[in-house]
Amino acid sequence: GGEKVKLRIAARRADLTNWQVSLEAFERKSTLLAQYCEEIGRPFEEITRTHGPDCRLFDTEADTLAWCESEGGGALWEGTPTERYLAENLVGTVDQVIEKTQAFVDAGCRGLILWLRDYPGDETLRRFVAEVVPALKVS
């Protein structure tokens, strides 16, 4: 296994990849995948790259941090510091989530598989569609 082996396989066989990683890791994996595609003569653009983060929207940063520290919140990923959890996931205020999502879009992400952290509720889903999606710019 390992990233380099899996990405070589993806370059040869995949139509889509999904990574639940930080923006920096997404960019690194994309660069490696592009390199492996070039080595075998496959157009890199044929492979759709997606991201599978946790997602939860809050009205304030204080609400976000309180949830992250709660037993059922971001602390679910035991041992992951809050700062890292927030950096790797689409959790925060609408403006913060727009900024993080746009950064992934700009890095070539063309799909999201969201882990809605207020499930079974649908507030985050409804707000993401109504407030985040319209603010994104895909080039």
Side-chain angles (χ1 to χ4, degrees):
E3 179 178 77
K4 292 180 181 179
V5 171
K6 291 176 183 175
L7 291 174
R8 285 183 191 281
I9 293 169
R12 286 193 315 270
R13 302 193 182 274
D15 295 321
L16 182 141
T17 62
N18 183 63
W19 305 315
Q20 186 174 4
V21 296
S22 67
L23 178 61
E24 294 79 20
F26 187 93
E27 291 170 334
R28 185 189 72 249
K29 287 176 180 285
S30 295
T31 299
L32 283 171
L33 183 59
Q35 175 187 328
Y36 299 148
C37 284
E38 185 176 336
E39 286 175 7
I40 63 168
R42 180 176 184 194
F44 172 61
E45 301 76 28
E46 286 184 358
I47 302 172
T48 302
R49 291 166 290 137
T50 67
H51 180 39
D54 281 4
C55 184
R56 179 100 194 250
L57 296 173
F58 295 93
D59 292 325
T60 68
E61 194 167 341
D63 291 342
T64 302
L65 294 174
W67 178 80
C68 283
E69 301 299 325
S70 72
E71 189 173 315
L76 174 70
W77 303 110
E78 192 173 309
T80 301
T82 298
E83 185 176 308
R84 180 174 156 210
Y85 175 80
L86 290 174
E88 293 180 358
N89 292 282
L90 303 181
V91 173
T93 65
V94 170
D95 288 341
Q96 290 169 332
V97 171
I98 288 170
E99 182 180 334
K100 290 190 261 188
T101 306
Q102 186 65 57
F104 275 95
V105 169
D106 292 346
C109 179
R110 291 300 176 258
L112 296 168
I113 301 170
L114 301 175
W115 293 88
L116 300 168
R117 292 299 307 279
D118 60 352
Y119 177 83
D122 64 358
E123 180 182 354
T124 292
L125 176 61
R126 290 180 183 279
R127 289 186 71 189
F128 193 90
V129 170
E131 300 174 55
V132 176
V133 172
L136 301 175
K137 292 162 184 55
V138 180
S139 53

